[in-house]
């Protein structure tokens, strides 16, 4: 009889992420210093800041911006991996510009050179112009810091290797949606038919539960007609009910996807799907522009989407945007049927700004 034991040597790490938003990017450096520090953030028991140099940090770096991570804790030494990124303001995804993710960098607070790590020529100003990283004259820098602590060696233990597959319940539910053989209810939406399963719908939505219960109890109907909803929207709604996620919608352009998400938000409210409602609000917040903000603001006001409404109001506060939106047909419709959000915009735009100390 043989036995196997194991011990392990593990490096303890702590990871944190901080985003630094640079507003009025085109104004450059308006202070007395050559750099601007972000607010301090803590990772692994140390205080850190992002250092942003709008006019570069070097003799020939005027055409670039410089970005560094700086250890701010006094009399401290830290070992950390660093990933400096820019946020794509169309997709919301982060793109690595420079990173040290193989050998930890040694930070010492004794001097600026030893306390910082980054890139003098982080990215050129020419590359940033009209890029996805710059929106409304705003740039967002993200820094992921992984602090590496001391090694720890565990004691011996018996070694058993049993591989457990990842959870796959949602995958099976997704297959159920595609397999109509065991469906027990059918929805008819503007001439298109969607088979589904009463048990799944009732478990996910209190509205579906009540609706299907009434239909089957009163007249044993297995067919439900859905009015005032487009087939693409109902299909996306079912996809969420079965998979807890949204379909990719890669075949739609931006305006078409925007319209589907707006209608899907209304459907989420109609069927009591709070998570789907919040997912739609998040997507619409990321897609605000002069053409659609009036429609989305009216939608947010009608369905009590407070965060989405606040995002729309903030978007409209700059006077040049308000002037552009006022020329759209949707603005006239909102002014006629939903005037209260416009009062919020007017009040916020007229609110005096605090002078910096």
């Amino acid at each position: 009889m043989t036995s196997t034991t194991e011990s392990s040597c593990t490096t303890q790490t702590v990871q944190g992420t901080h985003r630094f938003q640079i507003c009025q990017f085109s104004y450059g450096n308006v202070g007395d210093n050559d750099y601007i520090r972000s607010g301090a953030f803590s990772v692994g028991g140390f205080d850190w800041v992002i250092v942003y140099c709008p006019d570069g940090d070097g003799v020939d770096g005027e055409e670039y911006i410089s970005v560094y991570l700086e250890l701010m804790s006094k009399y401290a030494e830290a070992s950390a991996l660093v990933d400096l990124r820019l946020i794509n303001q169309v997709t919301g995804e982060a793109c690595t510009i420079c990173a040290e993710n193989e050998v930890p960098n040694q930070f010492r607070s004794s001097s600026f050179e030893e306390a910082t790590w980054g890139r003098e020529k982080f990215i050129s100003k020419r590359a940033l112009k009209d890029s996805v990283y710059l929106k409304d004259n705003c740039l967002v820098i993200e820094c992921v810091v992984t602090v590496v602590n001391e090694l720890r060696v565990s004691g011996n233990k018996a070694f058993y290797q049993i591989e457990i597959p990842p959870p796959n319940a949602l995958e099976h539910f997704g297959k159920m949606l595609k397999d109509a053989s065991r469906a027990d209810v059918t929805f008819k939406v503007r001439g298109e038919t969607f088979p589904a399963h009463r048990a799944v719908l009732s478990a996910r939505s209190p509205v579906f539960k009540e609706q299907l219960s009434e239909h089957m109890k009163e007249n044993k109907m297995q067919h439900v007609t859905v009015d005032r909803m487009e087939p693409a929207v109902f299909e996306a709604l079912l996809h969420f009910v079965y998979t807890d996620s949204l379909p990719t919608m890669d075949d739609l352009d931006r305006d078409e996807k925007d319209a589907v998400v707006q209608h899907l938000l209304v459907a989420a409210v109609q069927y009591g799907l709070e998570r789907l409602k919040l997912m739609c609000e998040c997507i619409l917040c990321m897609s605000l522009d002069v053409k659609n903000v009036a429609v989305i603001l009216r939608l947010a006001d009608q369905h009590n989407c407070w965060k989405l409404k606040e995002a729309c109001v903030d978007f409209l506060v700059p006077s040049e945007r308000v002037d552009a939106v006022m020329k759209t047909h949707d603005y006239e419709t909102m002014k006629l049927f939903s005037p209260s959000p416009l009062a919020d915009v007017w009040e916020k735009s007229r609110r005096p700004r605090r002078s910096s100390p």
Side-chain angles (χ1 to χ4, degrees), residues 211-275:
Q211 182 185 55
L212 294 174
S213 176
E214 289 299 318
H215 271 293
M216 305 308 158
K217 181 175 65 176
E218 291 181 2
N219 47 24
K220 298 182 180 180
M221 289 179 60
Q222 291 186 335
H223 304 281
V224 180
T225 300
V226 178
D227 298 320
R228 293 183 295 181
M229 189 179 298
E230 293 298 323
V233 176
F234 191 78
E235 184 177 16
L237 178 73
L238 284 184
H239 187 280
F240 172 82
V241 167
Y242 279 79
T243 68
D244 211 34
S245 64
L246 292 178
T248 58
M249 295 185 275
D250 289 337
D251 56 327
L252 304 179
D253 62 29
R254 179 182 173 182
D255 290 341
E256 291 171 334
K257 181 179 178 180
D258 206 44
V260 170
V261 174
Q262 291 176 32
H263 287 91
L264 194 56
L265 187 150
V266 177
V269 174
Q270 179 181 342
Y271 286 99
L273 298 168
E274 182 64 21
R275 185 169 186 271

Side-chain angles (χ1 to χ4, degrees), residues 26-305:
S26 64
Y27 294 178
N29 185 13
V30 295
D32 296 331
N33 298 321
D34 295 330
Y35 58 86
I36 303 169
R37 285 189 173 102
S38 72
F41 57 98
S42 180
V43 181
F46 300 95
D47 291 331
W48 309 85
V49 295
I50 297 171
V51 180
Y52 163 68
C53 305
D55 295 319
D57 178 32
V59 178
D60 58 346
E62 296 85 357
E63 299 302 318
Y64 294 82
I65 65 170
S66 303
V67 178
Y68 305 96
L69 171 70
E70 181 180 4
L71 173 65
M72 294 297 289
S73 298
K74 292 184 177 180
Y75 315 114
E77 294 186 7
S79 181
L81 303 169
V82 185
D83 188 354
L84 292 171
R85 308 167 170 178
L86 289 178
I87 300 300
N88 183 323
Q89 298 196 57
V90 176
T91 65
E93 297 176 352
C95 177
T96 294
I97 303 299
C98 67
E100 178 56 84
N101 49 24
E102 294 183 358
V103 179
N105 189 71
Q106 302 303 314
F107 292 84
R108 297 178 180 85
S109 57
S110 54
S111 67
F112 181 79
E113 288 74 16
E114 292 187 303
T116 57
W117 184 92
R119 181 173 291 177
E120 180 180 311
K121 295 183 178 180
F122 185 72
I123 191 171
S124 70
K125 297 176 184 178
R126 179 179 296 179
L128 280 176
K129 187 178 180 182
D130 298 326
S131 73
V132 294
Y133 306 119
L134 200 59
K135 182 180 180 182
D136 300 326
N137 206 20
C138 177
L139 181 72
V140 181
I141 302 169
E142 180 178 89
C143 180
V144 180
V145 186
T146 305
V147 175
V148 181
N149 295 321
E150 71 277 1
L151 297 176
R152 293 186 180 179
V153 178
S154 68
N156 288 338
K157 63 180 180 180
F159 177 68
Y160 306 99
Q161 187 172 6
I162 302 174
E163 186 174 348
I164 301 175
N168 59 356
L170 293 180
E171 179 182 345
H172 289 297
F173 278 112
K175 291 178 180 178
M176 282 181 64
L177 180 60
K178 297 178 181 179
D179 181 11
S181 61
R182 295 186 179 274
D184 53 7
V185 63
T186 300
F187 292 88
K188 194 168 185 179
V189 187
R190 295 188 181 274
E192 292 193 31
T193 301
F194 296 91
H197 307 79
R198 281 181 290 170
V200 176
L201 300 179
S202 298
R204 295 283 281 153
S205 163
V207 178
F208 271 130
K209 182 178 181 180
E210 181 178 354
Q211 182 185 55
L212 294 174
S213 176
E214 289 299 318
H215 271 293
M216 305 308 158
K217 181 175 65 176
E218 291 181 2
N219 47 24
K220 298 182 180 180
M221 289 179 60
Q222 291 186 335
H223 304 281
V224 180
T225 300
V226 178
D227 298 320
R228 293 183 295 181
M229 189 179 298
E230 293 298 323
V233 176
F234 191 78
E235 184 177 16
L237 178 73
L238 284 184
H239 187 280
F240 172 82
V241 167
Y242 279 79
T243 68
D244 211 34
S245 64
L246 292 178
T248 58
M249 295 185 275
D250 289 337
D251 56 327
L252 304 179
D253 62 29
R254 179 182 173 182
D255 290 341
E256 291 171 334
K257 181 179 178 180
D258 206 44
V260 170
V261 174
Q262 291 176 32
H263 287 91
L264 194 56
L265 187 150
V266 177
V269 174
Q270 179 181 342
Y271 286 99
L273 298 168
E274 182 64 21
R275 185 169 186 271
L276 176 59
K277 175 191 171 187
L278 293 174
M279 289 171 68
C280 292
E281 287 187 59
C282 182
I283 294 172
L284 293 175
C285 277
M286 295 294 295
S287 67
L288 290 175
D289 58 31
V290 170
K291 294 188 299 181
N292 65 20
V293 67
V295 174
I296 294 176
L297 178 54
R298 183 183 176 196
L299 188 71
D301 185 58
Q302 289 175 331
H303 298 287
N304 300 321
C305 305

